[in-house]
Amino acid sequence: MGKMFASRGMLVLGVLLVSAIGGQSESIPCKLIDAEHGKVCVCTADYCDYLENPVLTDENEWFLISSSKQGLRFSTTSDKFGKEEKFTVQDYVEPTQETANATILSRLLDKVVDSAFTLESRESSITRTVTLRLDRSKTHQKMVGFGGSYTGAVEYLVENFKHSELADHLYKSFYAEDGLGFNLMRVSIGGCDFDLEPWSYAEEEGDTELSDMDELNAHDVTRVAQIKRLIEVSGVKNLLVKGAAWSSPPWMKTNNRWTGFGRLKRAYYQTWADYHLRWLRLMKDNGIPIWAISTGNEPLNGIIFMYFVKFMSLGWTPQTQAIWLNDYLGPTIRNSEFKDITLFGNDDQRYSFPHWFKMMNRTRPNSIDYLDGLSLHWYWDEIFGNSFIEQTKEYAPDKILIVSESCIGDKPWQAAAPLLGSWERAEKYARDYLLNIKLGFHGWIDWNICLDEIGGPNYVDNTVDAPVIVNTTTFEEFYKQPMFYAIGHFSKWVPEGSVRIDAVPSNVNLDSVAFLRPDNKITAVLFNSGRADLDITLVDSIRGQFVVNVPAKSIHTLLYS
């Protein structure tokens, strides 16, 4: 994994010296190591990086939190609106062996000298420019939040950690305020491919009474306990948990198998609706209130893609799902104690939008009225254009839109495994978050919050990448990928209830999205994917303007009043 570098200390002397050359206090709160494809941050039982949210003390003050391909990870700088001089964000500078062995004072002096030369060389190189105009009077969708998925794979890895403190660091890294500030979570109802084996409740043949659903399945006992611990140690205030079923028990299906071309038998439509109701009650009784469920994970896997998909699946067509939703699931849920649960439709790829919902309504008029939201998986976003979403918004303008699954490594042309330190994969996340939020999505739930070094465990070897990779040789450390920080540039400073506002760049040199938060602060994500530095003139409709220079291949979150 390469040599571990010591984190830079937040010493008062260092802050003063660095401030003297540009008003910037350095903060690289992670322990960086070189990995095969870039840099990752290491967490152990006794150390893990966190970043407290900046506190604005002046109405003209702004904070910029930065990450870069070169090595910045949530580095925080600040200045004020109205200044004529350009503010420059210094990129990460690789420490040498000499500086690693030097005294504290000599390292600080070297920083001053290095920074001066870095600034000079950057100012003399090619720099692009852009003007970004933020208008808080022009508002769009209200955000529900961001999150990740707690699968059986995550449960297995956490259960095998050598130290409970490491698990707590994982939980806090994602869900605490000084972590990524997640508030959404997706869990499977029964098993999924990221489990050690396929499983469900009521597996006994013909058990239409669902007799084992008064108690947690053995597969769920540890996961529920871990999620409760996550809530406790992270302090997450309003965790919104979304459930989705991959498959019914095989005996309810036409092919009597976990996977393959198999649909739900008509005789069990009500039983399958009752299964969802019983699961909601079971989770509530065990201390995990559920915010939402969907009509099922990727319904086309059991209809069209059964030759490629080897994991648990339950096939639906729009017509059969309309009947089940309108005649069974919808009335069952809406006439129960969980009548206010949020119902999502589809949980499948962009290419099925909005045709799926139109066909549902043709089969059972107004059947999608039972749905509060529509959930999308991102896997074919780069192939199927924005028009699929734009048409969906026109057809169903009142629905909550969330991305409910995303990861990298699923395509034949992608490495189906973690690429430790890959900045390119972080950039893909940034681009897709920006694209879908600007299309009107209200939230995003990533796939597994952590996986092992090969991208599992997964009982059919359907391996992929994840924001955190666990060292399973020792089970004593995990690595935060660049994509972890890319996600955090959105989730950490865009809390539930934030409203997107206009953020219009003057050219393609910058991609950006901005929000008015519930505390009336403004936050904007600024993404410079180019290979050159970028001068950004930010103009706010109330606060005025300032100019900041950001390094190539970097992503930033701006916060101000």
Side-chain angles (χ1 to χ4, degrees):
M1 290 299 299
K3 184 180 68 177
M4 185 181 298
F5 300 118
S7 61
R8 298 185 180 183
M10 295 299 292
L11 300 171
V12 174
L13 180 58
V15 172
L16 291 175
L17 283 170
V18 177
S19 296
I21 65 163
Q24 178 177 4
S25 61
E26 287 191 318
S27 174
I28 302 178
C30 79
K31 293 182 178 179
L32 276 177
I33 65 170
D34 287 320
E36 182 178 357
H37 299 278
K39 297 181 184 298
V40 296
C41 299
V42 183
C43 286
T44 59
D46 57 5
Y47 177 80
C48 196
D49 59 289
Y50 300 100
L51 178 63
E52 292 185 12
N53 290 318
V55 177
L56 295 164
T57 58
D58 186 299
E59 66 177 10
N60 289 316
E61 186 179 22
W62 54 260
F63 280 92
L64 194 68
I65 301 92
S66 305
S67 300
S68 69
K69 180 177 183 178
Q70 194 161 311
L72 294 180
R73 296 294 184 267
F74 282 177
S75 178
T76 303
T77 55
S78 67
D79 207 350
K80 293 186 177 182
F81 277 90
K83 288 191 174 182
E84 292 185 4
E85 63 269 22
K86 177 172 63 178
F87 184 95
T88 298
V89 175
Q90 299 175 42
D91 208 346
Y92 177 76
V93 177
E94 196 77 59
T96 64
Q97 185 62 44
E98 288 75 16
T99 55
N101 295 330
T103 65
I104 293 175
L105 181 59
S106 65
R107 287 202 301 267
L108 290 171
L109 290 172
D110 286 343
K111 285 183 184 181
V112 174
V113 176
D114 290 344
S115 298
F117 282 107
T118 301
L119 289 173
E120 181 181 346
S121 62
R122 284 177 58 181
E123 288 172 354
S124 63
S125 64
I126 297 175
T127 299
R128 299 168 304 145
T129 63
V130 67
T131 297
L132 178 66
R133 298 184 182 276
L134 271 58
D135 188 347
R136 61 185 84 191
S137 69
K138 296 180 180 178
T139 60
H140 305 278
Q141 79 272 23
K142 181 180 289 188
M143 301 302 291
V144 173
F146 301 87
S149 301
Y150 209 106
T151 63
V154 176
E155 172 198 341
Y156 168 81
L157 293 170
V158 171
E159 181 70 6
N160 282 278
F161 283 170
K162 290 291 182 63
H163 307 286
S164 61
E165 293 85 356
L166 187 62
D168 289 349
H169 280 314
L170 180 73
Y171 301 151
K172 291 188 289 185
S173 291
F174 283 102
Y175 284 89
E177 284 189 5
D178 55 359
L180 297 193
F182 277 8
N183 70 312
L184 301 181
M185 178 184 288
R186 186 174 183 236
V187 297
S188 58
I189 301 175
C192 68
D193 49 321
F194 281 89
D195 264 296
L196 302 185
E197 61 182 354
W199 69 276
S200 72
Y201 286 89
E203 287 189 31
E204 185 177 345
E205 181 85 25
D207 183 16
T208 57
E209 298 297 319
L210 309 175
S211 58
D212 70 347
M213 293 194 74
D214 291 327
E215 296 182 356
L216 290 173
N217 185 288
H219 294 84
D220 258 346
V221 171
T222 301
R223 180 167 62 161
V224 166
Q226 289 176 356
I227 293 172
K228 291 167 74 172
R229 175 64 179 173
L230 178 153
I231 295 170
E232 177 187 354
V233 300
S234 70
V236 57
K237 293 181 175 64
N238 183 32
L239 181 63
L240 303 178
V241 180
K242 176 183 180 291
W246 266 241
S247 176
S248 65
W251 59 268
M252 292 188 191
K253 298 169 64 175
T254 54
N255 66 346
N256 200 34
R257 296 175 55 213
W258 287 115
T259 190
F261 183 75
R263 295 163 293 161
L264 193 69
K265 295 177 181 177
R266 286 291 181 98
Y268 299 126
Y269 272 28
Q270 184 59 53
T271 305
W272 189 228
D274 292 340
Y275 182 105
H276 285 73
L277 180 62
R278 294 283 294 275
W279 182 81
L280 289 170
R281 188 173 296 124
L282 183 62
M283 291 299 110
K284 178 184 177 182
D285 291 345
N286 283 275
I288 310 292
I290 302 299
W291 164 63
I293 59 173
S294 79
T295 49
N297 180 73
E298 298 181 342
L300 287 173
N301 284 352
I303 298 294
I304 298 175
F305 301 112
M306 58 280 185
Y307 297 111
F308 308 101
V309 174
K310 304 303 180 183
F311 53 82
M312 297 171 64
S313 60
L314 177 62
W316 294 100
T317 65
Q319 294 83 356
T320 57
Q321 196 167 83
I323 295 169
W324 181 63
L325 172 65
N326 189 78
D327 299 358
Y328 299 92
L329 180 66
T332 298
I333 297 298
R334 296 305 181 212
N335 292 316
S336 74
E337 61 186 294
F338 302 102
K339 62 181 183 299
D340 296 324
I341 202 85
T342 300
L343 278 176
F344 280 95
N346 196 253
D347 250 353
D348 215 327
Q349 318 301 329
R350 182 181 278 196
Y351 49 68
S352 63
F353 284 47
H355 176 74
W356 187 274
F357 307 107
K358 290 180 178 179
M359 293 302 296
M360 287 181 70
N361 271 343
R362 289 176 189 168
T363 303
R364 286 288 191 272
N366 303 315
S367 58
I368 72 167
D369 288 354
Y370 277 110
L371 300 178
D372 303 288
L374 313 177
S375 51
L376 173 80
H377 293 185
W378 84 333
Y379 298 110
W380 295 96
D381 283 10
E382 67 265 41
I383 305 297
F384 296 90
N386 297 344
S387 61
F388 288 84
I389 303 305
E390 292 164 349
Q391 292 170 23
T392 301
K393 288 179 63 180
E394 291 177 5
Y395 183 71
D398 61 333
K399 306 299 184 186
I400 303 169
L401 291 174
I402 67 167
V403 174
S404 57
E405 188 177 312
S406 56
C407 65
I408 302 178
D410 61 295
K411 306 291 191 306
W413 56 87
Q414 296 171 341
L419 298 183
L420 275 177
S422 171
W423 181 258
E424 289 69 29
R425 289 188 166 184
E427 287 192 338
K428 175 171 171 53
Y429 267 82
R431 281 192 295 269
D432 254 71
Y433 270 60
L434 287 161
L435 172 64
N436 282 294
I437 289 172
K438 286 189 285 188
L439 281 172
F441 277 77
H442 302 84
W444 192 297
I445 307 177
D446 196 40
W447 199 201
N448 303 272
I449 60 172
C450 68
L451 291 173
D452 64 22
E453 302 95 331
I454 63 172
N458 182 294
Y459 79 91
V460 291
D461 296 325
N462 184 35
T463 53
V464 294
D465 212 336
V468 164
I469 300 302
V470 175
N471 180 340
T472 58
T473 302
T474 65
F475 280 104
E476 293 183 337
E477 62 183 16
F478 60 76
Y479 312 115
K480 293 180 179 179
Q481 296 262 53
M483 69 179 79
F484 173 91
Y485 297 93
I487 294 169
H489 276 284
F490 297 86
S491 64
K492 185 171 175 61
W493 292 282
V494 184
E496 180 184 3
S498 298
V499 176
R500 184 169 70 90
I501 62 174
D502 263 14
V504 182
S506 59
N507 56 47
V508 298
N509 290 335
L510 179 73
D511 201 353
S512 181
V513 68
F515 306 87
L516 174 62
R517 307 188 336 168
D519 61 3
N520 289 319
K521 302 290 192 301
I522 299 294
T523 190
V525 179
L526 315 174
F527 179 39
N528 176 20
S529 61
R531 298 181 182 275
D533 293 359
L534 181 63
D535 282 351
I536 304 171
T537 300
L538 187 131
V539 182
D540 179 79
S541 56
I542 293 177
R543 202 58 68 202
Q545 70 179 56
F546 66 88
V547 181
V548 60
N549 176 273
V550 299
K553 295 289 181 181
S554 61
I555 182 170
H556 313 262
T557 302
L558 175 69
L559 180 67
Y560 64 91
S561 297

